[in-house]
Amino acid sequence: MTDEGTSLTGREKRTLKSLAKTMSVTVKFGRKGVTETALRELSRSLDLGGGLAKVSFGGDRELRASMAAEVEEKLGAVCIGTVGKTAAFHRPVAK
């Protein structure tokens, strides 16, 4: 779910992935799934973290994929990579 404003080149994705690798998880989505409170916190984290945030999801693989897609849709962020139950999101910071 990318549009022209949030599409990334391979080099940009690679750089963002390397930065996200050393970050700690900022938001955890659990049994309740993607809630408004968690989305608000993730949005705040993306704004304060230079447009990059790391998220932990619960549930099985299909549920994690659907939650990541929902986060992308609702926040306008791009999932730059997933490893297990952890995903990194990027959203350009408004200047």
Side-chain angles (χ1 to χ4, degrees):
M1 172 101 213
T2 62
D3 59 354
E4 288 185 23
T6 58
S7 62
L8 299 169
T9 64
R11 182 176 296 223
E12 290 170 331
K13 269 191 172 181
R14 187 171 58 239
T15 302
L16 290 169
K17 278 183 188 180
S18 69
L19 291 172
K21 188 182 281 190
T22 59
M23 291 178 68
S24 59
V25 172
T26 54
V27 179
K28 293 183 180 184
F29 292 95
R31 282 183 234 142
K32 294 182 181 180
V34 179
T35 62
E36 288 301 316
T37 305
L39 284 173
R40 197 174 323 118
E41 185 63 29
L42 179 55
S43 180
R44 184 177 154 278
S45 179
L46 284 165
D47 291 339
L48 295 176
L52 192 61
K54 199 169 183 180
V55 175
S56 177
F57 293 111
D60 62 354
R61 184 177 295 173
E62 290 81 22
L63 181 61
R64 291 192 304 264
S66 68
M67 284 195 284
E70 188 176 348
V71 168
E72 285 181 320
E73 180 182 322
K74 289 187 176 181
L75 294 183
V78 177
C79 181
I80 57 170
T82 59
V83 177
K85 294 184 176 188
T86 307
F89 288 93
H90 172 71
R91 180 175 68 187
V93 179
K95 295 179 182 178

